[in-house]
Amino acid sequence: MNLSVAEENYVKAIYKLQEGDNVVSTNALAYELDTKPASVTDMAKKLKEKQVIDYEKYKGITLTAEGRKTALQIVRRHRLWECFLVEKLSFSWEEVHELAEELEHVRSEKLTNRLSEYLGNPVIDPHGDPIPDANGKITKPRPQTSLDQANAKRLVVTAVTDQSVSLLAFLNAKSIKLGTQLEIIAHYEYDNSIEIKIKNQPTLTISEQVAKHIMVRPV
């Protein structure tokens, strides 16, 4: 599929918003891409001509089978590059998204597969998001819940659902990353904040706003 960088960005954004069989509105897509609805409408017409999406005015947008395949390829490249940047070039997890946004448009399937093999064929990226394999298959993650909803006391961090630079930098400063084991010391009813302990570090308090974006499972 010969798509421009802009077209690939639209396809990836539609995939993110679609979540199964949901129809994506032009307004939602415009908000996601920080552009005008009129620009989305123009692009939707182009993508429909290339048979990447199904689109009817006032009825929204869905990916075709070919469009979903293309989206999964883009997502695969993006998340593999994030792994490479973190694991091999020692970037921190809040630095890699924008770099991977550029690298994901290198379309060589041979390069992508070699990159995956070099990294040991990872199934999640540095933020805990699943990486599609070469056939577009995604390994279903083990059951997990947000930290603010966790019942167990001893937990391991499995993903972060808000990947904004500000939150990731905050978590990095608190030594919280994928694989971090922590213990819940107290859950305060007043503001739903949570006091946690990480190994030999002093206890620290996490706000509800932060805790709801930290995914965990029992150790």
Side-chain angles (χ1 to χ4, degrees):
M1 178 63 65
N2 186 20
L3 300 178
S4 68
V5 169
E7 288 170 338
E8 285 193 345
N9 287 336
Y10 268 82
V11 169
K12 189 175 74 167
I14 294 166
Y15 173 78
K16 176 182 176 182
L17 295 172
Q18 192 168 337
E19 295 183 358
D21 296 324
N22 294 334
V23 175
V24 177
S25 71
T26 53
N27 286 337
L29 191 52
Y31 182 81
E32 176 70 18
L33 293 169
D34 192 22
T35 190
K36 297 178 180 179
S39 299
V40 172
T41 300
D42 290 341
M43 179 62 80
K45 292 176 182 176
K46 294 178 183 178
L47 293 174
K48 183 178 180 179
E49 288 177 4
K50 294 188 176 184
Q51 300 182 335
V52 177
I53 65 169
D54 288 320
Y55 168 67
E56 295 294 337
K57 196 172 182 180
Y58 306 121
K59 292 185 179 180
I61 300 166
T62 56
L63 292 172
T64 62
E66 187 62 31
R68 178 176 168 79
K69 179 181 177 182
T70 299
L72 287 166
Q73 290 170 346
I74 300 167
V75 169
R76 171 173 164 80
R77 296 194 297 263
H78 181 100
R79 294 176 180 173
L80 284 172
W81 281 118
E82 286 193 336
C83 288
F84 176 78
L85 292 166
V86 169
E87 295 177 18
K88 304 302 180 181
L89 298 186
S90 301
F91 281 87
S92 60
W93 63 351
E94 72 267 24
E95 297 178 296
V96 297
H97 180 73
E98 288 189 9
L99 289 169
E101 285 281 292
E102 298 179 31
L103 292 165
E104 71 185 25
H105 300 295
V106 179
R107 301 182 181 92
S108 169
E109 185 176 345
K110 184 176 182 179
L111 173 62
T112 303
N113 291 337
R114 288 279 182 88
L115 178 62
S116 181
E117 290 172 9
Y118 177 65
L119 294 168
N121 296 313
V123 294
I124 59 169
D125 73 6
H127 309 106
D129 290 326
I131 300 174
D133 67 14
N135 298 313
K137 182 181 178 181
I138 295 177
T139 300
K140 188 176 181 180
R142 291 170 58 186
Q144 56 186 357
T145 187
S146 56
L147 179 57
D148 63 316
Q149 298 294 320
N151 293 319
K153 292 292 184 183
R154 295 183 182 276
L155 304 159
V156 60
V157 177
T158 55
V160 179
T161 57
D162 177 359
Q163 295 169 17
S164 62
V165 171
S166 56
L167 177 60
L168 294 175
F170 171 80
L171 295 177
N172 203 39
K174 301 300 182 183
S175 299
I176 298 173
K177 58 185 180 180
L178 293 198
T180 295
Q181 294 189 16
L182 56 88
E183 180 181 359
I184 294 180
I185 303 300
H187 197 149
Y188 299 104
E189 184 178 348
Y190 175 72
D191 61 356
N192 286 325
S193 61
I194 300 172
E195 188 175 3
I196 65 172
K197 173 105 173 126
I198 302 172
K199 291 186 178 179
N200 299 321
Q201 299 179 29
T203 60
L204 63 113
T205 301
I206 299 292
S207 69
E208 180 185 23
Q209 181 182 3
V210 171
K212 68 182 182 181
H213 293 299
I214 301 173
M215 302 303 292
V216 295
R217 65 169 175 261
V219 175

